[in-house]
Amino acid sequence: MEIVVSGIRPTGNLHLGNYFGAVKNFLRMQEENNCYFFIADYHSLTTHPTPADLHGNVKKVLVEYLALGLDPEKSTLYIQSDVPEVIELYLLLNMNAYVGELERVTSFKEKVRQQPDNINAGLLTYPTLMAADVIIHKAAKVPVGKDQEQNLEMMRTFARRFNRMYNVEYFPIPTAYNFGEALVKIPGLNGSGKMGKSEGEGNAIFFADEPREIQKKVMRAVTDSGPTEPNQAKSEAIQNLFSLMNIVSASDTIIFFENAYNNCEIRYGDLKKQLAEDMVKFTAPFHEKIKELSSNNLYLQKVATMGAEKARESAAKTIKEIREIIGFKKF
Ligand code: TRP
């Protein structure tokens, strides 16, 4: 039973790619560990300082993760801004975080390019806040994607540095959570690349999509002009449609269309119709759950309150101990 922490940025709706690439692993993780999942609303201000509807964004993420199966009884599910202890640790870590090392972080340099008019100190210290998020619970493991590896390295640096500077063995040095098998990459509908909300309109299938929207997107998916000889290798666009079918359709359906393709008898319109139908069927229970939870504010309040209480209990203990370690004392 290890302590695992993961932050989720409140940026938009979840799609099939998120589910198979990350959420499914979270579901497995929460069965075997003491997981803390939180919504990183403070972090979101580093790029969106004046969001039109911050609470709405947070609610959407909370609802969708719950709908997909994060269990507030098994994990601690909370909102970052509900746990002020994190901010104190953030401040303390910042005292021993050097501008030079923070400036060298790739994602900071990227943000400097992307938002030259808003190079704020929050962006620069994004890694210290992230480290605080994790080590506040004395976590051993963090599930991270490729893009977060450097941030994990920074967390390890700050945890090690704290231990060294105050001459203690207090913080465990967190490591990457290993999912065993390779993460599943879900292709999008644009004909190339993976499913993602920034990959263009219609590329991703969201759990919040109405069946009509799903049908429309799938019917518009990129294809090619069709096989001209038996057993021809598939183009990327067609391979992607088959990959999607692999995750939502029954095996006899897949075999049927594989055979049709190999015999040059395939009609892409039929394949898309079937794929759309199976996607609607696959997403329907989640879709219903999202609708149900969205209108149940009382339940969401209960979840967030319970999560904040559990997270604060763990965080307060850490703060109390590191205050002692550093030398703060009450008169
Ligand atoms: N930076 C992470 C992301 O963009 C979100 C995050 C914030 C996080 N704090 C964290 C992830 C702590 C893991 C652990 O996805």
Side-chain angles (χ1 to χ4, degrees):
M1 198 73 160
E2 281 181 309
I3 302 176
V4 180
V5 175
S6 188
I8 300 158
R9 250 178 319 145
T11 51
N13 297 94
L14 292 174
H15 50 67
L16 285 172
N18 298 130
Y19 181 70
F20 288 99
V23 182
K24 261 191 109 170
N25 294 315
F26 286 179
L27 302 186
R28 200 145 46 85
M29 227 163 57
Q30 74 179 352
E31 300 297 328
E32 300 154 7
N33 301 279
N34 180 8
C35 289
Y36 290 85
F37 295 113
F38 69 94
I39 299 173
D41 53 353
Y42 282 137
H43 273 114
S44 71
L45 296 179
T46 61
T47 51
H48 300 80
T50 54
D53 182 11
L54 181 58
H55 180 71
N57 298 344
V58 170
K59 176 177 169 178
K60 199 148 68 180
V61 177
L62 180 62
V63 162
E64 297 200 353
Y65 275 88
L66 285 169
L68 294 191
L70 281 200
D71 185 340
E73 301 291 336
K74 291 178 181 153
S75 305
T76 303
L77 222 60
Y78 65 100
I79 321 297
Q80 189 182 33
S81 61
D82 280 343
V83 183
E85 288 80 5
V86 171
I87 312 310
E88 183 167 344
L89 181 54
Y90 169 58
L91 177 136
L92 295 170
L93 292 180
N94 270 335
M95 301 306 172
N96 303 321
Y98 305 113
V99 173
E101 65 187 338
L102 294 169
E103 281 174 339
R104 280 194 296 276
V105 174
T106 317
S107 47
F108 174 70
K109 291 194 280 191
E110 241 164 59
K111 287 287 171 338
V112 167
R113 273 194 299 275
Q114 286 165 4
Q115 49 184 72
D117 298 328
N118 180 21
I119 308 170
N120 59 73
L123 268 185
L124 182 68
T125 56
Y126 191 111
T128 46
L129 181 53
M130 213 171 138
D133 289 330
V134 170
I135 68 178
I136 191 91
H137 301 301
K138 302 183 77 172
K141 291 267 149 57
V142 192
V144 284
K146 262 250 146 303
D147 61 325
Q148 298 292 321
E149 275 172 1
Q150 200 176 15
N151 282 330
L152 172 63
E153 210 36 65
M154 296 300 282
M155 287 176 199
R156 292 167 56 80
T157 299
F158 296 137
R160 249 192 251 113
R161 186 175 296 159
F162 182 95
N163 291 347
R164 183 169 39 75
M165 289 183 68
Y166 301 105
N167 202 14
V168 283
E169 268 180 53
Y170 185 72
F171 287 120
I173 313 304
T175 56
Y177 189 95
N178 191 347
F179 289 114
E181 73 232 54
L183 295 186
V184 187
K185 273 219 177 66
I186 304 300
L189 296 168
N190 291 359
S192 70
K194 62 173 190 168
M195 187 173 284
K197 62 171 180 297
S198 46
E199 315 299 320
E201 190 70 33
N203 183 51
I205 299 292
F206 295 95
F207 289 97
D209 284 347
E210 293 297 335
R212 256 177 301 108
E213 282 175 275
I214 296 181
Q215 270 144 8
K216 216 161 80 188
K217 286 181 190 176
V218 175
M219 294 318 284
R220 283 187 190 154
V222 174
T223 54
D224 59 20
S225 52
T228 51
E229 53 188 78
N231 302 316
Q232 192 177 315
K234 296 188 187 84
S235 65
E236 192 182 356
I238 299 306
Q239 183 52 53
N240 286 354
L241 294 183
F242 274 98
S243 299
L244 289 168
M245 205 165 229
N246 256 312
I247 62 169
V248 294
S249 302
S251 53
D252 52 347
T253 305
I254 301 164
I255 293 168
F256 173 84
F257 284 103
E258 286 279 0
N259 285 338
Y261 182 90
N262 288 330
N263 300 332
C264 304
E265 288 162 357
I266 196 159
R267 290 212 303 240
Y268 289 145
D270 293 346
L271 174 129
K272 287 175 168 182
K273 227 171 112 195
Q274 182 69 47
L275 179 60
E277 196 181 306
D278 292 338
M279 276 190 171
V280 169
K281 236 186 253 155
F282 178 82
T283 51
F286 300 110
H287 185 78
E288 284 312 306
K289 196 95 192 102
I290 290 172
K291 279 209 253 185
E292 195 183 299
L293 286 166
S294 299
S295 59
N296 195 346
N297 277 325
L298 207 65
Y299 176 70
L300 297 177
Q301 186 188 41
K302 216 180 95 188
V303 168
T305 307
M306 182 172 86
E309 272 168 16
K310 283 201 279 178
R312 288 197 70 179
E313 196 181 305
S314 144
K317 182 166 181 288
T318 304
I319 289 297
K320 181 171 177 286
E321 289 167 354
I322 62 171
R323 276 174 157 257
E324 272 165 30
I325 290 170
I326 296 175
F328 293 98
K329 225 181 202 165
K330 286 243 156 41
F331 279 95

